[in-house]
Amino acid sequence: MLVTSYSMPCGAGRVVVYFYRMHLRALEPDDLEFLYALENDPDIWGVSDTLAPVSRHALREYLEHAGADFYVVRQLRLVITTDIGSPAVGVVDLFDYDPLHQRAGVGITILARERQNGYAQQAVELLKKHARNVLRLHQIYATVGANNLPSMRLFAAAGFRQVGTRQAWLRTATGWQDAVEWQCLLSS
């Protein structure tokens, strides 16, 4: 999916417009080493609820089933690239899909060396379009640690609304942390 411009209303009449070249694609068997590096980066374990390294074997098995139907497995992981055929810069996930209420959670991870290039916000915009127009979701949401300022700025800039705070929700190495809930209504 190569996009040159895109406009998406999201909450309170706000319209976000971008001009970019981004691509969200399905996982491929060739993504094994990329996923291995990403999933085994201890710097992101705190935001992904990972507690231990992931083996290549486990990732191979995951990749074998990664193409399963979203409506059956209730999750979707897409690889973020800057152009068709270019190396991966991150992943974006829809998870905890609820078919009755037509909503899903959003997670995003960008490789450390690729951060601060605007890829995360562009990927979230493309994911919103996919969630609304293809998956027909009513809303998407994110739970963000209160001290994760880059993610707080990302979801605010992507048109999500801050809808609440869960007190002492996330256990970290230094104690308990609040979690901020973000929501984006995709349909009116």
Side-chain angles (χ1 to χ4, degrees), residues 1-2 21-25 81-87:
M1 174 187 302
L2 188 60
R21 292 173 56 93
M22 292 293 298
H23 182 69
L24 298 180
R25 65 167 175 79
T81 63
T82 57
D83 206 350
I84 294 174
S86 64

Side-chain angles (χ1 to χ4, degrees), residues 9-172:
C10 187
R14 178 180 169 157
V15 175
V16 182
V17 179
Y18 290 95
F19 299 94
Y20 48 76
R21 292 173 56 93
M22 292 293 298
H23 182 69
L24 298 180
R25 65 167 175 79
L27 286 164
E28 300 284 350
D30 292 347
D31 291 320
L32 177 65
E33 291 306 316
F34 162 70
L35 284 179
Y36 184 77
L38 192 71
E39 297 290 348
N40 288 298
D41 179 355
D43 290 339
I44 63 169
W45 285 1
V47 297
S48 66
D49 292 337
T50 301
L51 299 175
V54 180
S55 71
R56 283 183 177 86
H57 174 74
L59 289 170
R60 265 188 221 97
E61 297 227 338
Y62 169 74
L63 285 169
E64 284 180 24
H65 304 288
D69 189 320
F70 170 74
Y71 299 103
V72 173
V73 297
R74 299 184 181 199
Q75 65 181 9
L76 174 68
R77 172 166 273 187
L78 297 170
V79 176
I80 305 164
T81 63
T82 57
D83 206 350
I84 294 174
S86 64
V89 298
V91 293
V92 65
D93 299 292
L94 287 174
F95 59 91
D96 289 342
Y97 166 60
D98 183 323
L100 175 62
H101 301 293
Q102 298 174 320
R103 65 179 170 234
V106 175
I108 185 164
T109 304
I110 302 293
L111 293 171
R113 69 178 179 273
E114 301 292 349
R115 292 181 190 146
Q116 303 299 315
N117 290 314
Y119 298 149
Q121 188 171 351
Q122 293 173 23
V124 169
E125 292 300 327
L126 286 173
L127 184 68
K128 284 171 29 182
K129 180 179 179 185
H130 185 75
R132 178 182 184 189
N133 298 337
V134 177
L135 302 174
R136 305 280 194 252
L137 297 182
H138 171 64
Q139 63 182 289
I140 53 179
Y141 63 89
T143 302
V144 179
N147 72 344
N148 186 342
L149 298 181
S151 289
M152 301 277 267
R153 286 190 297 268
L154 165 66
F155 288 108
F160 284 64
R161 237 177 9 107
Q162 186 174 332
V163 294
T165 301
R166 296 177 190 255
Q167 303 296 309
W169 192 255
L170 304 170
R171 186 175 179 196
T172 70

